[in-house]
Amino acid sequence: MQIVPVKAFLFHILYTLVLLTFCPSIQAQNPGWIKGVVKENNNPVEFANAFLTLRRDTTKIVLGAVTDSTGRFVLDKVSPEDYTLNIQMIGFKPKRIPVAIHTGAMNIDLHEINMEADPNQLNTVEVTAMRDLIQKTEEGFVVKASENITQIGGSAADLLKNMPGVLVNSDGEVTIRGKTPLTLINGRISGIAGIDRSAQLERIPASSIERIEIVNNPSAKYDADAEGGIINIVLKKNEDRGTNGAFAFGAGRGSRYRLNASMLLNHKTRKWNVGAAYDNWYTTRTRRVTGDRINYDLSDEHFLAQRRFDERLIFYQNAKTTVDFTPNEKNSFNFEALWAFPGENNNETLKNTYTTSENEFTNRNQRHSNEIRRSHAVELSLLYTRHFVNPAKLLSVNISNTFNIEKENTDIDTQPLTEQDQTSGDVSWQRTHVYQKTNLANIALDYAQPIAKNGTMEMGYKSIFRYLNSDFIRENLTNEEYITDPLNSNIFDFNEQIHAVYTQYTGWTGEKEAPLWKYNAGLRAEKVWNNGKTRNDSEAFKNDYFNLFPSANLFYYTPKRNYFKLSYTRRIARPGLGQLNPFTDITDSLNQHSGNSRLKPEIIHAFEFGYNYTLPKASLSLAAFYRLRKHAIFSYTILDENGVALSLPMNFGTASTLGLEAIGSYNPFSFWSMNLSFSAYQTHIDNTESGAELSTNLVSWYSKLIQNFTLHKNSKLQVIGNYTSPSAVPQGKSIAVYFVDIGFQQRIMKGKGRLGLVITDVFNTQQYGFITSDYNFESNRRVKIDTRAVLITFGYTFGTSFKENLMDNKFEND
C-alpha cells in the first residue's frame, strides 16, 4: 500500500474534519445513501476524503465523509439530484465518479473504488529519508517526534538537537539560521515553559510531543516577533472513537540514573472528546567545567584557573486535560488545561586558583553552592471555531492564560585554601532568594474568506499581555546573622501589551491542488506598550512604539511539481524578559551574568530564495537567505578592575547575515534511507551603537546526518551524527561540537507494544565551550556533561489505531 507522509496525513485529517463539519446536509423528503470501499492494490485506503458536488455546479460541496480503517465510507441522507462523487487523498490521483439519486433508486453501493498512487504529488510534500520522519512544506518542514528513536526520552530541546537546520547549545538555547525562533505550543504563544519568546524547551517532555513544525520565514499572519522563524510544538491528542490510550516507562544510566513514565487516556463520542495525559522524568546529571582566564591588568591575579563539578537532580512533571465539544455542524469548542511542575537541585563545587604572570601561587578558594529551584505553571486555553458551507471559509477565536510561580533559593559558602588545599581563614556565607510571578494572556481572532475561484483572504486580530514580578534578595552572614545587601536586592516589575491586526491574500493560477504560480502578500500592524522598573527606581524604562510588517511570497511549480520560492518579510526581535531583568547571577562570583533593561528591539528585513527538487529516491531543498538587522543584540563580557567578568546583552548597531541551507534525502535501498542537512552563514557587524571592541565578521556552520535502517518489518535502527564547527561570536569563537546517537526499536505484542534501546553520545565527545578575548583578558572555557548513557523503554497501547502515537520519547541527552 502507498505510504502517506505525516504532513499529508495530518493535513487530510484536518481537511476531513473541516469538510465534515462545514458541509451542509440538503434536506429532502426521501433521502438516500451512497457507500463504497476505497482501495489501492487491494489494500484499504484510510482517511481518504469522499465528498459530493453537484454536477450542475461543481464548486458546491454538498456532503462529505472520511474512510475508516477498512477504507469504507457512507454518505447518508442524500437528496435526489445528479452528483459527482470525489475521492481525494494526498499521494493518490483524484477519483471522480458520476452518481445520481432518483426517486426510484434511493441507495447506491459502489462496492470497491480503486485508487492510483501519484508519486509526483507525494514527493512534493516530503524531503526525508524515512517518509514519515521529515516532510518539506512551503513554509519550512515538519518532523514527527516518535520517529526520532535516538531520543526516546528527555525534552523538546533533545528532539531539536537532531532536527535539520536547528542548533541547540549546552544551556538549551535554540537557534535557527543563527537567531532565536519564536516558540509556539499547539499554535499559540504559551507560558507553560516561560513567557519569553524563547521557551525553556527542556521543560517540555518529548513523550508529550506529536510533531514539531518549523517555519523559516513567517508571513504577516504570524507574530512579528519571529525573526529567527517559528517552532510550533504540537502536543499529542487522540481523535479515535471510543476509549483508548497508551502508557510507557523506562530506565537508564549514564554516570547517574534516569527514570521516566508516561500515560495517555482518551474517550470520544459523536459530540464529545475527553483526554488526559501525564509525563514525568527524573535524572541525576553531572557537569564538569574547566575555565582558564588571563587577566592582563592584574599582576597578582594574572592567571585564573577554575575547576567546577556539578551534580544536579532534575525532574519534570506535566499533565494535560482536553475537552472537545461539537454540539452541531456549525460550532465546535476545544478546552485545554496544562500543568507543569519542573524542579532542580544543584550541588556545585567551584575551585578558583590565582597565580602571578610568573606562575607563582597567589591565592585559592573553594566556593560551594546549593541551589534549589521549583516552579508551578498552569495554562488554560479555549478555542471556538465557526464552520461554514465552504471549507475554505473559517472563523476562530482563541483565548489563553498562563500563571507561573518560580522560586529559587541558593546557599553559598566560600572557603580560603592554601596551595596544598588546606583550609585557611574564615568561611564567608551568602544566600540569594528569587521569587518570581509571571502571567501571559493571549486573545486571537482569525477569519478566512475565499475570494472568487483562485484566492483566499485572511485577516485577524491578536492581543498579548505579559506581566513579570521578580523579587531578588541577596544576604551576607555577619555576626551569625544574615543581613540584606541593599545594593544587590530589589524588586523588578515589567508589563507589556501588544495589539496587532493583519490581512493577507493568497492566490494561485490553475488548480489549488496543483498550481503553476502561487503567491501571497500581507501586512501586519503592531502597537506595543511596555514598561519596567525596580522598586528603588535604579532601573526604569518605558517604550511606546508602532510598526508595520509587510510580507510577500512567490512560488513557481514545474510540471514535475518541483518549485522555486522567493520571499520577503519585515520582522522585529523584542528582548526577552531574561535579557531585560537587571538582577545579577553571582553563583560563580568571578563570572557573573545579568540582563540589560536598556536594550532596544531589533528591526529586521529578511529575504529568502529557495528551490525544492524531488526524484523517486531522492530529494533536495536549497535556500539562500539574507537578513539585515538594526540594533542587533549580542552577548558581551566586560572584565572590571577587580577581576570579575560580567556578561550581558548589548545592542551593536547594524548586522547583516548571508547564509545557505541545504536539506537532502536519499533512499538507496528499501531498508536504508538517509537525510543530510547543512547550514552555513556569515554575520557582519557594523558596530555603531557601542564603544565595545568586537569581531565584525562571524562565520558559523553545522551539519547533521540521519540514517534509518529497517532490519525487518517489526524493528528499525537509527543512527544520527551531529557536527557544529567552531563558530565565531563577538569576542572570539565557540569550540567544535560533535556526537553520535544510536537508537533501536522492536515492535512486540502484535504491534501494540514496543521495546526501545538507545545509546546517546556513543563516543562521549559532546562538550561545549568558548575561547574569547578583549583588550584586558583572554578566556578558555569548556563544559562536559554526562551525555553518554544507555536507556531502555517499554510502551503499550490499547484501544483503536492509537499505536502509531505511542510515546517513544523518554530520555534526555544533554
Side-chain angles (χ1 to χ4, degrees), residues 687-702:
N687 183 21
T688 60
E689 295 183 19
S690 171
E693 297 291 333
L694 74 163
S695 304
T696 57
N697 287 286
L698 316 179
V699 179
S700 306
W701 68 272
Y702 49 92

Side-chain angles (χ1 to χ4, degrees), residues 625-637:
F625 56 92
Y626 175 78
R627 287 194 302 259
L628 183 65
R629 300 152 55 192
K630 184 180 179 181
H631 311 309
I633 298 174
F634 295 98
S635 179
Y636 194 78
T637 300

Side-chain angles (χ1 to χ4, degrees), residues 189 223-225 441-443 461-466 495-501 524-530 545 549 572 574:
I189 297 178
D223 293 81
D225 196 8
N442 291 273
I443 301 174
Y461 166 80
K462 186 171 185 178
S463 290
I464 302 173
F465 302 89
R466 288 187 177 95
N495 289 276
E496 182 175 63
Q497 293 186 38
I498 303 173
H499 299 275
V501 293
R524 188 180 189 91
E526 287 194 353
K527 176 67 175 179
V528 177
W529 293 273
N530 66 39
Y545 54 89
F549 301 100
I572 190 171
R574 284 179 280 268

Side-chain angles (χ1 to χ4, degrees), residues 552-566:
N553 290 276
L554 178 65
F555 298 86
Y556 171 72
Y557 287 86
T558 69
K560 293 185 177 181
R561 312 312 303 148
N562 302 311
Y563 65 82
F564 295 87
K565 175 185 178 181
L566 180 64

Side-chain angles (χ1 to χ4, degrees), residues 699-732:
V699 179
S700 306
W701 68 272
Y702 49 92
S703 181
K704 300 179 184 182
L705 176 62
I706 304 173
Q707 297 192 81
N708 298 280
F709 303 90
T710 302
L711 305 183
H712 56 82
K713 66 178 182 179
N714 289 321
S715 64
K716 54 186 176 181
L717 176 70
Q718 186 175 77
V719 181
I720 299 182
N722 284 264
Y723 179 82
T724 302
S725 74
S727 303
V729 296
Q731 290 174 284

Side-chain angles (χ1 to χ4, degrees), residues 576-644:
L577 297 184
Q579 293 177 303
L580 293 172
N581 194 328
F583 298 154
T584 302
D585 183 351
I586 63 164
T587 304
D588 180 350
S589 61
L590 301 177
N591 293 282
Q592 302 179 8
H593 299 269
S594 173
N596 180 1
S597 63
R598 295 177 176 82
L599 282 178
K600 303 175 184 177
E602 295 183 354
I603 300 294
I604 307 100
H605 297 273
F607 301 84
E608 179 180 337
F609 177 73
Y611 176 61
N612 190 73
Y613 182 75
T614 59
L615 290 170
K617 288 190 175 183
S619 63
L620 177 64
S621 178
L622 298 173
F625 56 92
Y626 175 78
R627 287 194 302 259
L628 183 65
R629 300 152 55 192
K630 184 180 179 181
H631 311 309
I633 298 174
F634 295 98
S635 179
Y636 194 78
T637 300
I638 301 170
L639 182 69
D640 67 15
E641 66 275 9
N642 297 315
V644 176

Side-chain angles (χ1 to χ4, degrees), residues 308-310 312 346-350 367-369 587-588:
R308 191 178 107 188
F309 177 76
D310 301 353
R312 302 188 179 193
N346 181 31
N347 197 315
E348 173 187 312
T349 301
L350 170 64
R367 187 177 179 89
H368 176 258
S369 303
T587 304
D588 180 350

Side-chain angles (χ1 to χ4, degrees), residues 3 71 85 95 169 190 240 277 279 310 328 332 400 467 489 521 539 597 600 611 624 635 671 681 761 796:
I3 300 176
L85 174 65
K95 194 89 170 182
N169 67 13
S190 172
D240 286 339
D279 299 270
D310 301 353
N328 51 49
S332 63
S400 66
Y467 169 72
S489 300
E539 299 283 348
S597 63
K600 303 175 184 177
Y611 176 61
S635 179
F671 64 88
Y681 50 89
D761 193 12
Y796 181 79

